[in-house]
Amino acid sequence: MPERTSSRWLIAGLALILLALLAFGGWFYHEQQQQFRQDVEEDLQAIVQLKVDQITEWRAERLADAAVLIENPLFGDIVTGWMADSQPPQSEVLLSWLRSLQRRNGYQDILLVDTAGQIRLSLREQNTPLIEHAPLALDDALQSSAPSLSILHTHPGDLPPRIGVIAPVYPRNVHEAEPLGVVILESDASRSLYPLIQSWPTRSHSAETLFVQRDGDSVLFLNELRPQADTALALRIPLSQTENPAVKAVLGTEGVVRGPDYRGVDVLAAVRPVPDSPWFMVAKIDAAEAFAAWRTHSILILALMLGGMTSVSITGGAVWLRHQKAHYEALFRAERAQQESEARYQTTLMSIGDGAIITNAEGYVELLNPVAEALTGWSLDDARGRPLEEIFPIIDGETHQPVENPVRRVMREGTVVGLANHTLLISRDDRQIPIADSGAPIFDTDGTRTGVVLVFRDQTEERAAQKALAESEARYRRLAENAQDLIYRYCLLPIPGFEYVNPAATAITGYTPEEHYADPDLGFTLVHPDDRSLLDQLTGGELLDSPVTLRWIRKDGTIIWTEQRNVPVFDDQGNLIALEGIARDVTERKNAENALRESEESFRLLFENNPHPMWVYDLETLAFLEVNDAAVAHYGYSRDEFLSMRLPDIRPSEDVEHLTGDTQPERPVFQHSGEWRHKLKNGQIIDAEITSHTLEFAGRKAALVIARDVTERKQAQRAERDQRALAEALAQTANALISVMDLDEVMNAILDNVAHVVPHGAANIMLIEGDHARPVYLRGYSPDLAASARGFSLPITETQNLQEMRVTGKPFLIPYTDEHAGWIKEPISEWVKSYVAAPICSHGQVIGFLNVDSDTPGFFTETHAQRLQIFADQASIAIEHAQLYEEIRRHAGDLERRVAECTAELNRTKERIEAILNSSSDIIILCRADGRIEQVNPAFDATFHCEHGAAFDQPLAGLIVPEHRATLERAFAAVIESRQPERLEITVDYPDHTRFDADTVLSPIVERHDRLLGVVCSLRDITERKRAEEQLRQVLAREIELSEIKSRFVSMAAHDLRNPLAVIQTSISLIEGYSDKLTDERKRSKFGSIRHSIDVMVDLLDDILTIGRVEAGRARFNPEPVDLMHLCDTIVAEQKQATGYTHPIIVEHENMPDRVYADPKLLRYILVNLLSNAIKYSPEGAPVTVTIACDEDDLRLTVQDRGIGIPEADQAHLFEAFHRAENVGTTPGTGLGLAIVKQSVELHGGTITCASEEGAGTTFTVVLPRGPIP
Amino acid sequence: MKRVLVIEDEEQLRSDLITVLEFEGYEAIEAEDGRQGVLMAQQLLPDLIICDVNMPVLDGFEVIMALHRNLQTAVIPVIFLSARSDKATIERGMQLGAAAYVPKPYALTELLAAVGTHVC
């Protein structure tokens, strides 16, 4: 049932979705169609608006043309004149004016019609009559006195349709005169108007614009129709065809309409009237084309909808199928699960370790499992169908009476029942088997009892094990009861307390076992309070793997030590529930241990904290066995270092032999060993008083030693002795210094006295000579050594001890030369084992050394070094004394020699300076500080042509032009003030009018002590140099300007090359990329455009080359007869077109012959350039006037504009190549045009001039000689 | 179909561009000077404008300024296509709000990529 319901829901849902899809599809289709239609209509509206705008604009331009013409008073004059006399030359002037207008603006014809409607003039030769509507239009024009547009009309014959602008012509003053007539400017509609109408901004094969007007009761088509030729002004459609869009248009409909067009084809059209005219625009497109895209679109939408509906149906079907499949799968799974469950129960029953019997409700056996078979002795086959009592006879184990059949009991009670204990099963072979069993009823699904299952187990082994356990427990209890140690079980959980203690407990704790059990806290209170933390650890499960010693308080209050071993007991969850263990009284042992430890401790304190160094050493090996902290602190060795050393290691090496004698193993127990010298770790030797005591240490024969440091006491004694000797020796030396002047004698006295306070083997005094030190005074050397030492010289930098002293200025000590790496082994120093020396200083400089040698290693100490320094200082005083005397003598001689040398040098310098002054080409003037001339050189006299001395005492400022005098005086004052030279340029002008520019240097003559003696002034003529500099600067500026302009020109040319290049590139890309889409004809046209672009570039390059040629002056002059007026008109037309008719260009000429003899190419250059410049540099709308005139000799050409003008500064450079005026702004240009113009004019032998005012305008006038035409 | 307006005074180049754009699936419309271009842009509201810079009547920069004066045309992306490739001009064009500036001569693919990127 449920399946069917869900299927129904499924179908209903599916239908609903399909309906919704259909509804949405319909709405979407409609929306899209509306949208598409709207888009098409908007496009058509936009296009028709564009057309209307273009036509309105075109119309306005035409009217404006006419307005410009009739508002020109000159034109009125000319027409007036012509009306009076229509013969040449009056007619020629008018004709040429009108022809120029016709050419310029592309009019088909220009007519002059008088007020009577008579055509007076037509530029076309054919004399056609006015069309029928003309008089009406003429009247309109004359009345409104403004130009108006005629209707579109055709002429008889095959002339194209035309449209004319009709404008009245007045004489010079409009208000005073009647109009002379009208001028009609007729345009060819097919060239001017129709292209505007026919173009369509998008590509379409059926789109078309119709230009119509109402003509009576029909619509007149004014333009050529797309599919039909010669329809302009010919096709008419009666107004009765009201569905036709064109008809709708003229009937006043505006906007988008739909209906059959003139071909009868269904079209969509936008219609709109052209303002201020009888015309209407119809932009139409075939409905078929307009909606072509919509058709594809709509098919797509329909297809999408169909697809959507199909997929919904398919999805619905798939869901239903899946649903069915799931249903049958569920059925299949339930069936299989039931089968599996049955099989599992069967297997379970057959494989369990208990016996199982199943009977029916009546108590007949249905099944026995293998265990039941074994226990009962019945096989399943034999037993099946028999009553249970036969297969499973059971009796009470104690009474041996039969027991009630459990099946009956189960059936009666209806619940699970168990058998009584001690039940015995009597098997088929009469074995009595103890069993335990239970029975349970079996119910079917309706709750009816259908049978009983009986489960039973053989209990033979179980009961035997219980018996064995009881016997074992009794045995262990006996052991415990008789043990001497306390055996216990202390329960922790759930209630703490002793569970068992053996009788020995009474002997140990004083409590009976019953007292243990009675007091639950006894396990805690028994333990001494200090040890209870240990107890806590025990009960927390720690310390269980080793014996624990605890103090207990007995019942009588005495404290005993117990050692106990605990075994933890855990329950099934791993919780510690009890501790079992043995405790023994160890009080006696513990007391003995404590006594021993206390004694050892006091000895150790005595040893370790003793302020005197103490140690124990092995009497046999002399190795240290133990040291105290005082020894470590005093001797500097760490404890570990001590313990790895032997006794001799702390003795100076020379005392070791003596030591071995003292430390015989046979010795009294206590011994004062007296004073010994000990060596500390830092090498220092101390005196120590030693007391020792033999003892046994860690099983070795050893001695305990106490050392007392007596060094200071001994040192004090020695120092007192030394001080006395030093004082005596110094007194003697000082005596020698005062009483003896001879250096040698003093030195020897010093050496003698040194011996008293610094005992030594030998001593010497070395003096430094350059980089070497040489022994000068020697004492205590053998004669051989002394002789060789005197000739001996030591390089100081290579001798470390000397170098060190020279650098530091401090004494230098080498206690052991053998251990000193830098010691030099020379015969003179080889024997020396200990060395001390002090530097001899004079004025902060080390000048020698006092060296003392000894053959005893380690003999000299710091004290010796300090004493030696005192003697060295005395030696230096002696040496200074001796040197001072020598110095004074030498100085006197020196001074005399130097005075002589200076005098000679002075004379030489004076001669040299005079030679320079006399031969210098510069003018050199020596001035006093007051600015007057004191001395001049011969160049002065030569330059100014004056007697030597004539200028003396004159002021220096008198030599120069008055305007420079202030500058010179300022500079002069500055030189005197600052004592620094000054340089300046001044113009010299001496009374005899020798005038030149001079580079002038003023230098002070300063004596020692800054005293100013005067000022030297040197003048150099630099007139020539300045001129050259000026020229160079001009050339440079010109070069820089040229190069800038050239680079600008190159960039302009590059710019102009880019456009044709872009065309080429696009065309090539098009042919390359879209070859398959292009027709052959279009490809040919692309190649044509590439070729055209190349031509453009070639032309451009030609122009650039021409410019180059003109610049280089290689252009040729090729004169020929030229129609200058025609050339002029052409160029004006070109310029107008090129510039977009922004400026009115007025061409005036007078007295021009048909032909002039000139080079047409050059003339073209001249005109084009002047005209394009005039336009380029004039604001839009400003008129440009070109005048050409001829007289007897000259041809005069003037181009006048009202533009920005040329700044006066630029006018001078106007015709220079690459020059552009400052005010050109962003207007493009190369700056070459006028240069070419000038060249071209000059090739003709003519001249060009320019008159310009900035902001007012520019007039260029070219005058060419008028050569006769050959 | 996206509408692209090509404003370019060089007739040949304009015609080529129109052809290519149509091949590429755009609806291409053309104008031969800046003034006509602005007029057409206002009437036909194209999706993108390709515009030359050096043109008679209105130059490219004046075109974009005119377009920006009208709310409807201000949002139309403009790609300048110009022979003027100096840095100052390009910067000016971009400052005026051009979507891209493609100097002439250009690779057609480059221009089409720019059109594809900016047509909205």
Side-chain angles (χ1 to χ4, degrees):
Chain A
M1 288 306 276
E3 299 91 72
R4 189 158 300 170
T5 323
S6 67
S7 310
R8 214 174 286 148
W9 276 113
L10 197 66
I11 288 164
L14 206 61
L16 212 65
I17 292 171
L18 283 176
L19 268 175
L21 202 63
L22 211 58
F24 172 75
W27 172 83
F28 183 68
Y29 182 86
H30 185 70
E31 277 298 301
Q32 287 289 303
Q33 194 177 22
Q34 287 294 321
Q35 183 63 41
F36 192 84
R37 197 188 167 87
Q38 201 176 335
D39 286 352
V40 172
E41 286 179 0
E42 275 174 12
D43 282 1
L44 279 175
Q45 297 243 47
I47 290 165
V48 81
Q49 183 63 47
L50 180 69
K51 297 286 165 196
V52 168
D53 289 348
Q54 281 176 342
I55 285 171
T56 313
E57 200 181 311
W58 176 86
R59 198 162 141 269
E61 275 175 16
R62 296 283 76 77
L63 293 176
D65 261 3
V68 167
L69 181 70
I70 59 167
E71 280 164 18
N72 191 336
L74 190 63
F75 183 69
D77 290 352
I78 290 169
V79 173
T80 315
W82 181 78
M83 289 280 191
D85 174 14
S86 63
Q87 292 307 306
Q90 284 291 357
S91 66
E92 257 179 40
V93 172
L94 182 63
L95 275 175
S96 100
W97 185 308
L98 293 179
R99 282 214 178 94
S100 156
L101 184 70
Q102 180 194 21
R103 266 200 301 278
R104 219 158 47 226
N105 295 343
Y107 288 114
Q108 180 87 10
D109 195 0
I110 298 177
L111 304 161
L112 258 179
V113 180
D114 60 19
T115 44
Q118 204 62 38
I119 297 179
R120 296 290 301 271
L121 177 77
S122 166
L123 289 185
R124 296 184 67 83
E125 300 307 321
Q126 288 169 290
N127 206 3
T128 48
L130 281 177
I131 54 162
E132 49 193 296
H133 304 285
L136 205 63
L138 289 185
D139 289 346
D140 281 353
L142 289 172
Q143 270 162 28
S144 67
S145 73
S148 67
L149 212 59
S150 82
I151 58 162
L152 194 62
H153 56 273
T154 50
H155 275 277
D158 53 357
L159 288 175
R162 305 183 192 184
I163 186 160
V165 181
I166 304 173
V169 182
Y170 291 92
R172 193 174 272 271
N173 195 330
V174 181
H175 303 292
E176 291 177 7
E178 285 298 305
L180 297 167
V182 297
V183 60
I184 302 178
L185 307 172
E186 270 197 328
S187 304
D188 178 354
S190 65
R191 281 172 56 199
S192 60
L193 184 59
Y194 290 173
L196 292 180
I197 298 165
Q198 276 158 355
S199 73
W200 189 271
T202 62
R203 301 271 150 128
S204 161
H205 64 77
S206 72
E208 190 178 10
T209 326
L210 304 178
F211 189 41
V212 297
Q213 75 177 49
R214 184 174 176 160
D215 189 20
D217 54 358
S218 61
V219 178
L220 178 62
F221 284 70
L222 298 175
N223 63 328
E224 291 281 352
L225 297 178
R226 197 167 174 161
Q228 291 165 269
D230 295 333
T231 48
L233 297 169
L235 183 64
R236 282 169 201 277
I237 291 176
L239 288 183
S240 54
Q241 289 185 16
T242 48
E243 284 305 302
N244 190 307
V247 176
K248 282 183 179 170
V250 299
L251 290 180
T253 312
E254 235 184 274
V256 179
V257 297
R258 189 170 175 177
D261 70 348
Y262 59 91
R263 298 168 297 163
V265 177
D266 184 23
V267 295
L268 196 66
V271 295
R272 192 177 288 270
V274 179
D276 305 328
S277 80
W279 301 328
F280 296 90
M281 287 301 305
V282 179
K284 70 171 182 71
I285 185 166
D286 283 7
E289 191 194 348
F291 294 116
W294 164 246
R295 269 196 295 282
T296 356
H297 204 68
S298 64
I299 288 168
L300 193 67
I301 294 175
L302 283 176
L304 265 176
M305 263 174 64
L306 221 64
M309 281 162 74
T310 315
S311 61
V312 167
S313 307
I314 289 170
T315 314
V319 168
W320 189 74
L321 276 178
R322 215 179 135 117
H323 192 204
Q324 288 294 94
K325 195 177 157 198
H327 174 64
Y328 287 116
E329 264 178 9
L331 281 182
F332 172 72
R333 266 200 302 275
E335 180 69 25
R336 206 169 58 187
Q338 195 174 2
Q339 281 172 4
E340 277 173 7
S341 160
E342 274 176 17
R344 195 154 56 235
Y345 285 124
Q346 182 80 17
T347 312
T348 312
L349 200 63
M350 299 308 272
S351 58
I352 55 171
D354 293 348
I357 300 173
I358 298 175
T359 71
N360 60 13
E362 285 72 39
Y364 292 98
V365 173
E366 283 184 340
L367 182 80
L368 262 75
N369 76 348
V371 177
E373 282 179 336
L375 287 177
T376 58
W378 289 83
S379 69
L380 173 62
D381 292 339
D382 292 345
R384 186 175 287 141
R386 290 171 187 273
L388 182 72
E389 286 84 351
E390 195 182 334
I391 305 302
F392 191 69
I394 45 175
I395 55 169
D396 189 304
E398 283 160 8
T399 63
H400 287 268
Q401 291 302 309
V403 179
E404 189 195 4
N405 189 324
V407 174
R408 308 283 164 227
R409 226 177 107 198
V410 168
M411 289 307 284
R412 191 177 67 240
E413 294 179 7
T415 55
V416 176
V417 298
L419 290 187
N421 280 338
H422 317 303
T423 309
L424 294 175
L425 168 66
I426 300 169
S427 70
R428 200 176 180 187
D429 50 2
D430 278 339
R431 279 186 295 131
Q432 290 192 350
I433 304 165
I435 57 164
D437 73 350
S438 66
I442 302 170
F443 298 98
D444 67 8
T445 45
D446 298 338
T448 324
R449 267 173 255 167
T450 59
V452 173
V453 60
L454 195 67
V455 179
F456 56 97
R457 194 164 64 238
D458 181 357
Q459 282 199 312
T460 318
E461 283 175 18
E462 215 171 291
R463 289 182 194 168
Q466 279 172 4
K467 195 172 160 192
L469 187 67
E471 283 169 10
S472 165
E473 198 188 341
R475 198 159 53 239
Y476 281 109
R477 183 168 288 270
R478 269 197 307 280
L479 275 175
E481 301 285 311
N482 296 320
Q484 287 305 302
D485 294 340
L486 170 59
I487 296 173
Y488 58 87
R489 177 183 166 95
Y490 185 76
C491 198
L492 297 167
L493 286 171
I495 303 150
F498 282 101
E499 209 167 57
Y500 172 77
V501 294
N502 65 349
T506 318
I508 293 171
T509 64
Y511 298 100
T512 62
E514 286 70 30
E515 282 172 322
H516 277 90
Y517 302 147
D519 184 359
D521 292 337
L522 191 62
F524 182 70
T525 52
L526 197 59
V527 177
H528 190 278
D530 293 350
D531 288 352
R532 279 181 193 157
S533 63
L534 274 174
L535 182 68
D536 290 342
Q537 285 182 317
L538 272 177
T539 54
E542 295 172 48
L543 303 175
L544 291 172
D545 20 358
S546 55
V548 177
T549 309
L550 289 178
R551 276 167 289 179
W552 282 3
I553 305 165
R554 281 169 56 92
K555 192 177 181 183
D556 57 10
T558 54
I559 294 173
I560 58 165
W561 285 90
T562 62
E563 188 181 78
Q564 51 191 97
R565 283 171 187 278
N566 289 294
V567 177
V569 181
F570 298 100
D571 69 0
D572 296 344
Q573 282 81 45
N575 298 322
L576 181 64
I577 52 167
L579 289 173
E580 292 175 352
I582 301 175
R584 175 176 290 176
D585 184 351
V586 293
T587 312
E588 276 177 32
R589 196 186 80 200
K590 200 74 193 172
N591 288 345
E593 274 174 17
N594 283 347
L596 187 63
R597 200 166 54 236
E598 276 166 22
S599 127
E600 269 181 6
E601 187 63 25
S602 55
F603 168 75
R604 176 146 294 278
L605 282 172
L606 206 63
F607 180 76
E608 279 178 359
N609 297 330
N610 202 306
H612 294 295
M614 290 176 81
W615 55 81
V616 180
Y617 70 91
D618 191 317
L619 279 173
E620 280 168 30
T621 63
L622 300 186
F624 286 101
L625 297 174
E626 183 61 287
V627 294
N628 71 351
D629 294 344
V632 169
H634 209 86
Y635 281 73
Y637 296 104
S638 75
R639 189 182 181 78
D640 290 339
E641 280 170 335
F642 255 120
L643 296 185
S644 66
M645 291 194 319
R646 292 173 66 240
L647 209 52
D649 295 337
I650 60 163
R651 300 290 160 86
S653 45
E654 59 268 29
D655 293 358
V656 172
E657 205 177 328
H658 182 44
L659 169 79
T660 41
D662 188 64
T663 54
Q664 297 302 323
E666 305 304 326
R667 43 165 289 170
V669 172
F670 183 77
Q671 175 177 308
H672 277 293
S673 304
E675 281 181 16
W676 284 89
R677 297 206 303 153
H678 281 183
K679 194 168 78 181
L680 305 188
K681 190 182 184 186
N682 59 13
Q684 191 192 341
I685 306 291
I686 60 164
D687 295 297
E689 210 171 66
I690 301 296
T691 314
S692 63
H693 192 283
T694 54
L695 52 80
E696 189 149 320
F697 188 86
R700 308 281 306 166
K701 255 188 106 176
L704 172 71
V705 176
I706 300 174
R708 256 176 336 119
D709 187 348
V710 293
T711 314
E712 281 176 22
R713 190 180 72 202
K714 301 270 291 186
Q715 271 176 351
Q717 290 167 358
R718 272 203 293 272
E720 195 191 18
R721 213 167 46 231
D722 288 353
Q723 282 299 326
R724 233 183 356 255
L726 178 65
E728 219 163 284
L730 283 176
Q732 280 176 18
T733 313
N735 217 17
L737 261 179
I738 296 158
S739 57
V740 185
M741 272 311 286
D742 182 38
L743 185 63
D744 294 351
E745 213 173 309
V746 177
M747 288 300 182
N748 284 325
I750 288 171
L751 283 181
D752 286 345
N753 283 310
V754 165
H756 291 144
V757 285
V758 186
H760 56 262
N764 65 61
I765 291 173
M766 286 182 176
L767 291 179
I768 295 175
E769 293 168 357
D771 287 337
H772 285 69
R774 197 168 62 79
V776 182
Y777 304 100
L778 302 148
R779 176 76 77 230
Y781 295 91
S782 68
D784 290 351
L785 271 179
S788 72
R790 279 184 215 283
F792 191 70
S793 177
L794 273 173
I796 295 172
T797 46
E798 288 165 32
T799 315
Q800 192 226 350
N801 49 339
L802 301 185
Q803 173 68 4
E804 185 73 22
M805 282 188 283
R806 187 160 77 160
V807 172
T808 62
K810 300 248 173 69
F812 194 80
L813 170 69
I814 308 176
Y816 301 96
T817 55
D818 290 344
E819 294 168 15
H820 190 79
W823 189 250
I824 294 172
K825 304 270 186 193
E826 292 281 345
I828 190 170
S829 60
E830 211 168 28
W831 61 275
V832 178
K833 297 295 172 200
S834 189
Y835 167 87
V836 66
I840 300 167
C841 299
S842 172
H843 303 298
Q845 282 272 316
V846 176
I847 55 164
F849 307 100
L850 176 54
N851 300 307
V852 182
D853 303 328
S854 166
D855 57 356
T856 311
F859 184 83
F860 295 120
T861 63
E862 279 297 327
T863 320
H864 293 131
Q866 283 161 13
R867 286 181 197 161
L868 204 57
Q869 185 62 55
I870 297 167
F871 286 99
D873 293 346
Q874 284 186 336
S876 73
I877 294 167
I879 290 169
E880 271 173 29
H881 282 181
Q883 280 176 345
L884 206 61
Y885 178 66
E886 183 63 22
E887 192 89 331
I888 289 166
R889 250 188 13 211
R890 210 173 52 238
H891 267 301
D894 247 18
L895 271 176
E896 253 168 66
R897 199 183 67 246
R898 260 193 246 162
V899 168
E901 272 172 12
C902 275
T903 314
E905 179 64 32
L906 211 60
N907 285 334
R908 275 200 299 279
T909 309
K910 194 178 166 228
E911 281 160 16
R912 261 204 305 274
I913 288 172
E914 272 174 8
I916 290 167
L917 284 177
N918 292 342
S919 60
S920 171
S921 64
D922 292 351
I923 297 165
I924 295 171
I925 304 162
L926 181 64
C927 295
R928 289 193 298 267
D930 63 0
R932 288 184 181 277
I933 296 170
E934 188 179 350
Q935 183 61 267
V936 295
N937 70 340
F940 181 98
D941 303 329
T943 308
F944 297 120
H945 314 292
C946 61
E947 295 274 312
H948 186 69
F952 288 6
D953 278 336
Q954 301 285 323
L956 181 62
L959 293 180
I960 61 173
V961 291
E963 57 267 33
H964 282 171
R965 277 178 193 160
T967 318
L968 180 74
E969 274 158 8
R970 261 200 309 281
F972 200 89
V975 169
I976 290 171
E977 169 70 29
S978 67
R979 302 283 201 264
Q980 294 294 324
E982 291 271 338
R983 189 170 185 157
L984 62 161
E985 273 183 23
I986 51 174
T987 307
V988 173
D989 187 11
Y990 196 57
D992 74 343
H993 303 297
T994 311
R995 192 185 171 103
F996 56 88
D997 288 326
D999 179 14
T1000 308
V1001 179
L1002 295 173
S1003 310
I1005 308 170
V1006 181
E1007 212 196 18
R1008 268 200 207 168
H1009 313 302
D1010 219 19
R1011 197 165 75 86
L1012 187 82
L1013 292 180
V1015 175
V1016 176
C1017 171
S1018 86
L1019 302 170
R1020 177 175 294 174
D1021 184 348
I1022 53 163
T1023 317
E1024 276 304 312
R1025 197 182 80 198
K1026 278 187 84 170
R1027 194 178 304 139
E1029 271 174 10
E1030 180 60 26
Q1031 268 173 2
L1032 193 63
R1033 215 186 61 230
Q1034 280 170 359
V1035 169
L1036 254 176
R1038 177 94 190 108
E1039 280 301 314
I1040 289 165
E1041 199 184 349
L1042 267 183
S1043 100
E1044 269 174 15
I1045 289 164
K1046 275 182 182 158
S1047 69
R1048 201 158 61 221
F1049 168 69
V1050 167
S1051 84
M1052 282 291 301
H1055 169 261
D1056 287 343
L1057 282 170
R1058 280 172 194 273
N1059 260 320
L1061 270 177
V1063 172
I1064 292 173
Q1065 204 168 27
T1066 314
S1067 293
I1068 288 173
S1069 300
L1070 196 60
I1071 295 166
E1072 266 178 359
Y1074 305 93
S1075 180
D1076 47 336
K1077 295 183 182 173
L1078 288 169
T1079 60
D1080 281 352
E1081 194 195 336
R1082 290 195 71 177
K1083 279 183 197 164
R1084 268 197 299 281
S1085 122
K1086 294 296 145 206
F1087 285 122
S1089 70
I1090 292 172
R1091 211 169 292 123
H1092 173 72
S1093 299
I1094 292 170
D1095 290 345
V1096 169
M1097 287 198 288
V1098 169
D1099 285 351
L1100 184 64
L1101 288 174
D1102 278 347
D1103 281 355
I1104 293 169
L1105 287 178
T1106 311
I1107 289 163
R1109 251 200 312 278
V1110 171
E1111 260 302 280
R1114 290 206 308 271
R1116 297 240 175 82
F1117 176 55
N1118 293 320
E1120 57 183 74
V1122 182
D1123 180 352
L1124 184 56
M1125 305 237 316
H1126 181 253
L1127 182 70
C1128 187
D1129 282 346
T1130 316
I1131 289 169
V1132 167
E1134 277 172 16
Q1135 285 298 317
K1136 273 190 156 181
Q1137 196 185 359
T1139 54
Y1141 305 100
T1142 46
H1143 300 70
I1145 302 174
I1146 301 155
V1147 182
E1148 291 171 356
H1149 38 74
E1150 57 186 72
N1151 201 16
M1152 282 300 294
D1154 286 346
R1155 297 262 191 277
V1156 292
Y1157 192 62
D1159 184 327
K1161 269 189 172 173
L1162 299 179
L1163 268 183
R1164 176 171 258 278
Y1165 271 134
I1166 296 168
L1167 263 170
V1168 166
N1169 271 297
L1170 292 180
L1171 206 49
S1172 73
N1173 277 353
I1175 293 169
K1176 259 195 327 199
Y1177 301 115
S1178 298
E1180 208 172 304
V1184 175
T1185 312
V1186 182
T1187 317
I1188 329 172
C1190 249
D1191 62 19
E1192 289 285 300
D1193 306 317
D1194 295 321
L1195 171 66
R1196 187 177 294 269
L1197 203 152
T1198 314
V1199 178
Q1200 183 179 13
D1201 67 49
R1202 293 188 196 155
I1204 57 173
I1206 302 163
E1208 215 173 304
D1210 288 310
Q1211 288 184 17
H1213 306 284
L1214 205 54
F1215 299 106
E1216 289 174 15
F1218 298 114
H1219 185 89
R1220 298 195 70 204
E1222 265 178 14
N1223 58 341
V1224 296
T1226 56
T1227 317
T1230 55
L1232 281 170
L1234 284 176
I1236 299 171
V1237 169
K1238 189 173 164 70
Q1239 291 277 356
S1240 304
V1241 170
E1242 282 171 357
L1243 281 170
H1244 279 98
T1247 56
I1248 179 165
T1249 51
C1250 164
S1252 179
E1253 191 182 331
E1254 219 180 329
T1258 307
T1259 306
F1260 279 98
T1261 308
V1262 175
V1263 179
L1264 303 180
R1266 187 182 164 191
I1269 298 174
Chain B
M1 204 189 270
K2 298 292 180 187
R3 183 177 290 170
V4 178
L5 169 62
V6 180
I7 311 177
E8 163 70 62
D9 59 334
E10 166 61 46
E11 204 267 327
Q12 202 55 53
L13 196 56
R14 186 173 74 238
S15 144
D16 282 351
L17 283 175
I18 293 289
T19 311
V20 170
L21 287 169
E22 280 176 351
F23 285 161
E24 288 296 323
Y26 297 101
E27 180 187 343
I29 51 178
E30 51 190 303
E32 65 183 26
D33 62 48
R35 198 181 129 127
Q36 198 188 344
V38 174
L39 217 57
M40 287 183 74
Q42 283 166 356
Q43 302 284 348
L44 298 177
L45 293 179
D47 297 291
L48 181 125
I49 296 174
I50 298 173
C51 185
D52 191 11
V53 173
N54 281 11
M55 280 187 301
V57 190
L58 286 183
D59 73 13
F61 294 158
E62 289 165 326
V63 166
I64 198 169
M65 287 189 277
L67 290 175
H68 284 188
R69 277 195 286 274
N70 180 328
L71 265 187
Q72 271 186 304
T73 53
V75 295
I76 304 174
V78 176
I79 296 177
F80 280 130
L81 196 61
S82 174
R84 294 180 66 176
S85 59
D86 55 302
K87 211 174 151 209
T89 312
I90 294 179
E91 272 174 11
R92 169 114 199 278
M94 296 310 284
Q95 275 164 5
L96 285 172
Y101 194 109
V102 181
K104 288 181 193 170
Y106 50 83
L108 200 52
T109 48
E110 188 191 337
L111 178 68
L112 286 176
V115 171
T117 311
H118 294 293
V119 77
C120 53

